Amino acid sequence: MSADGSRFDPLVVVELTSDTKEEAISWLLSRIRDTQQNGGRPIQLEQLGPGVSAQEKENPNLFLVGATRQRLLSGAEDLGLFKEFHDGSMRGFTCANKHNFKDFQDGDSFLSMAECQYIIKHELDTLRARDETHVPGHQQVKLYPGKSIIRRLLSKGILIQVFPLHQKEELKRLSFSWYQKVKLSFQPLDDIRHYYGEGQALYFGFLEYFTFALVPMALIGVPYYLFDWEDYDKYVLLAAFNLVWCTVILELWKRCSASLAYRWGTLSRKKAFEEPRPGFHGVLGFNPVTGREEPLYPNTKRQLRVYLVSLPFVLLCLYLSLYIMMIYFLMEGWVLSVHDEEPTFWTGILCFIPSVIYAVVIEVMNLIYRYAAEFLTEWENHRLESSYQNHLVLKVLVFNFFNCFASLFYIAFVMHDMVMLRQSLATLLITSQILNQFMEAFLPFWLQRRRNKKMIRKVQIRKTLEDKELPLADQVRLEADMSTYLGTFDDYLELFLLFGYVSLFSCVYPLAAVLVVLNNITEVYSDAFKMCRVFKRPFSDPAANIGVWQLAFEAMSVIAVVTNCSLIGMSPQVKAYFPESDMQLILWTVAVEHGLLAFKFILTFLIPDVPKHIQINLSRLEFESLEALKKKVKPGRFNQSEGLEAS
């Protein structure tokens, strides 16, 4: 984009339904183009022209959204984006100090397209109704002051979607270095971050880190599997190593993510810049902290919804999960009785059927519950996106943990059947991996190709005949029909469950780490493929870390200490030391467990979350900011309006 903003560069696509009333379209465009003083968002919009196949019915209500360079720079300042300063440090961008930032004179390269698209998204999300009572031309779509207009149009089906456009050449380069060639090297995290944003890059960084961190567990697990498969007593050392491994890798990941976030400029971003989420609604008022106009909603009302509706619903779902688990054990008992009466090859195969069916049922229940949890969390009306994500993650994690691991705990600590535990763990792990790979990559790709068959054939013919770049109108319509990427939530959830399978019970199934390593290697390529080929380009997420998922993994590591200590205490080798008193065995097990937890928290304290050199740089920036503030305030001046003397 040129410095004078004369050229229009499309960044984002807004698609309305083909039957949207003209009054509604005119009203929406005027509201977006209005001045900021009147609650508008002065950004550029152009209606998309017809595609290659003008004879086919095409939705005319597709609009390209862009902004002048100055508007984008102003948005970057409003969002508190950090950019590299001339001295190499990362500082919050301000228009007044823009020439002191590195690469500012380079024009387009200063803000990546991912950052520009994120700024546009923020502008659209914060477009709120003022005195309108309904959407013009659509009397049934009610509005009230403070309601997000874009969110309302989406929920009522008038607005189909808002998505960022791909950059074809940059996507080709990223695809080639990322997944199109099989190689033993690190992922191009900086390129991923530049194209998709920090949130996506941190997920792939964590996936890569988790895979490498599993290698020691896998290397130790293979000899145990080959030589001591039936000797459960020898797994005490594996369980002990497992406990230390869980803590160390999570603490080292904090340092790794802090280094990445500092390099990308998100580590120092302040929470003060977090705006109300688009779905938040309430009576329009003023934020007492910022003084900005925004919706207000009583916290008491929200808490009542959480504790009187959401919590009972979660408990009911846990009860249903427990009931289905007991049905599984009844099926398992019946199959084993059939096999014991007349053992044959087919009855041996039949023994695995209940576990496979139960694994599939678990995945289906998790999927259904996920939609219910999203609906409930949306209904709770959380103000901040971080609060919404925390409540959603908590709901989903509690159910998924109980649903996936309750049967394993029951087999281990109620039935005391280690052979069955090993078999169930292997079946659940392998079945869930196969289903996840199918649901995440293959199925969306197949559905997209089936849905876009005509367009894809037309694009291929055009490329073959002309060997030219696809026209913008056809590119937009092709991307509009692609599947929507729903974020990293499901990806982190999958890694969380795999981490649970490895850390909780790997001492009875040492190959768990090997299977997870193989899964993660394929996951890197399948996730990269679906990001570049299957889904629309997602909006950037300027994250500083993996958020609440870090706490989830740490909670799992604490549970792993208790689980592994209990498994060790149940082993015949340990029981032999306490032949006369079970109480002594329990006390010793609890004592060891408390000691290991203490050791875990000592390790957590000894390993800093942020590397020393980054702490020094952050402290230096804070000191310089305070010094600059002191120089701006002239000594001896008295502010009569506030009754404070500046010194």
Side-chain angles (χ1 to χ4, degrees), residues 327-329 331-333 335-336 349-363 404 407-408 411 419-432 435 501:
I327 294 176
Y328 155 67
F329 283 120
M331 291 173 55
E332 188 79 25
V335 168
L336 291 175
I349 296 295
L350 188 63
C351 290
F352 291 92
I353 299 301
S355 296
V356 173
I357 294 175
Y358 184 54
V360 174
V361 170
I362 283 176
E363 294 298 323
C404 294
S407 61
L408 300 179
I411 295 170
V419 176
M420 185 178 179
L421 176 62
R422 187 182 303 133
Q423 175 188 324
S424 298
L425 176 60
T427 306
L428 286 173
L429 183 57
I430 295 172
T431 306
S432 65
L435 287 175
Y501 286 126

Side-chain angles (χ1 to χ4, degrees), residues 213-496:
L214 281 166
V215 171
M217 284 290 293
L219 293 177
I220 293 174
V222 171
Y224 271 97
Y225 177 79
L226 294 177
F227 303 112
D228 293 321
W229 175 238
E230 297 298 335
D231 192 354
Y232 171 70
D233 298 340
K234 301 291 181 63
Y235 296 158
V236 173
L237 290 177
L238 182 60
F241 176 80
N242 191 358
L243 300 178
V244 178
W245 170 83
C246 289
T247 302
V248 172
I249 66 163
L250 292 177
E251 290 304 312
L252 292 181
W253 164 249
K254 288 182 184 178
R255 296 171 59 84
C256 180
S257 65
S259 299
L260 290 173
Y262 177 75
R263 190 168 81 225
W264 296 336
T266 56
L267 185 63
S268 303
R269 287 195 71 202
K270 304 298 183 184
K271 286 292 183 182
F273 291 108
E274 193 171 7
E275 298 281 347
R277 50 187 296 271
F280 177 64
H281 57 84
V283 180
L284 194 64
F286 289 93
N287 187 312
V289 177
T290 63
R292 298 173 182 172
E293 194 175 34
E294 65 177 49
L296 302 177
Y297 188 81
N299 186 57
T300 306
K301 203 171 180 180
R302 182 182 303 112
Q303 296 300 324
L304 289 174
R305 291 186 173 190
V306 170
Y307 291 108
L308 296 184
V309 179
S310 297
L311 182 59
F313 175 79
V314 173
L315 295 177
L316 176 62
C317 291
L318 294 180
Y319 172 77
L320 292 175
S321 175
L322 182 64
Y323 185 77
I324 292 175
M325 183 189 77
M326 300 313 296
I327 294 176
Y328 155 67
F329 283 120
L330 290 175
M331 291 173 55
E332 188 79 25
W334 176 77
V335 168
L336 291 175
S337 65
V338 171
H339 180 67
D340 291 339
E341 287 179 5
E342 189 177 348
T344 63
F345 171 78
W346 295 109
T347 57
I349 296 295
L350 188 63
C351 290
F352 291 92
I353 299 301
S355 296
V356 173
I357 294 175
Y358 184 54
V360 174
V361 170
I362 283 176
E363 294 298 323
V364 173
M365 290 174 62
N366 288 342
L367 184 63
I368 295 173
Y369 177 83
R370 166 73 186 277
Y371 289 115
E374 287 180 345
F375 174 81
L376 274 178
T377 311
E378 182 71 37
W379 178 70
E380 290 166 6
N381 195 27
H382 296 278
R383 177 182 177 271
L384 300 180
E385 184 65 28
S386 59
S387 176
Y388 172 86
Q389 290 295 333
N390 290 345
H391 281 78
L392 177 60
V393 168
L394 182 60
K395 288 186 185 72
V396 174
L397 283 188
V398 168
F399 181 79
N400 277 259
F401 179 85
F402 191 86
N403 202 27
C404 294
F405 298 114
S407 61
L408 300 179
F409 279 102
Y410 186 85
I411 295 170
F413 301 116
V414 178
M415 300 175 65
H416 302 289
D417 190 340
M418 296 303 150
V419 176
M420 185 178 179
L421 176 62
R422 187 182 303 133
Q423 175 188 324
S424 298
L425 176 60
T427 306
L428 286 173
L429 183 57
I430 295 172
T431 306
S432 65
Q433 288 179 350
I434 294 173
L435 287 175
N436 283 327
Q437 291 291 347
F438 176 79
M439 295 293 293
E440 287 184 4
F442 175 77
L443 184 61
F445 179 68
W446 180 78
L447 290 174
Q448 177 226 330
R449 291 200 43 107
R450 182 181 177 88
R451 186 168 58 246
N452 301 328
K453 194 172 182 180
K454 291 183 180 179
M455 175 65 81
I456 289 172
R457 188 187 302 118
K458 186 168 54 185
V459 169
Q460 289 172 342
I461 292 173
R462 187 181 183 90
K463 284 188 174 181
T464 303
L465 295 177
E466 302 181 13
D467 195 25
K468 293 180 180 179
E469 189 66 28
L470 192 66
L472 177 63
D474 294 315
Q475 176 193 338
V476 170
R477 295 187 185 279
L478 182 61
E479 291 184 28
D481 286 335
M482 296 174 73
S483 302
T484 301
Y485 181 64
L486 299 177
T488 56
F489 187 99
D490 290 320
D491 297 317
Y492 277 121
L493 180 61
E494 181 184 352
L495 293 182
F496 171 79

Side-chain angles (χ1 to χ4, degrees), residues 88-101:
S89 62
M90 303 298 294
R91 307 192 182 201
F93 175 77
T94 58
C95 292
N97 209 19
K98 57 188 178 184
H99 295 290
N100 290 324
F101 285 87

Side-chain angles (χ1 to χ4, degrees), residues 12 29 75 85 91 107 132 148 156 174 193 215 230 232 320 373 418 458 461 463 474-475 509 515-516 523 618:
V12 175
L29 297 183
F85 212 56
R91 307 192 182 201
E132 300 94 341
S148 170
K156 292 299 181 180
L174 177 60
R193 173 254 170 180
V215 171
E230 297 298 335
Y232 171 70
L320 292 175
M418 296 303 150
K458 186 168 54 185
I461 292 173
K463 284 188 174 181
D474 294 315
Q475 176 193 338
Y509 186 58
L515 293 175
V516 175
E523 187 82 11
L618 294 176

Side-chain angles (χ1 to χ4, degrees), residues 28 31-32 39-41 123-128 147-149:
L28 178 62
R31 279 302 318 271
I32 293 175
R41 298 290 179 266
E123 296 295 333
L124 292 175
D125 284 344
T126 53
L127 181 67
R128 298 186 180 275
K147 181 65 180 177
S148 170
I149 293 176

Side-chain angles (χ1 to χ4, degrees), residues 42 138 173 186 208 226 250 260 265 311 562 588 621 635:
H138 297 268
R173 289 193 295 269
F186 295 104
E208 179 180 87
L226 294 177
L250 292 177
L260 290 173
L311 182 59
V562 180
W588 271 102
L621 285 177

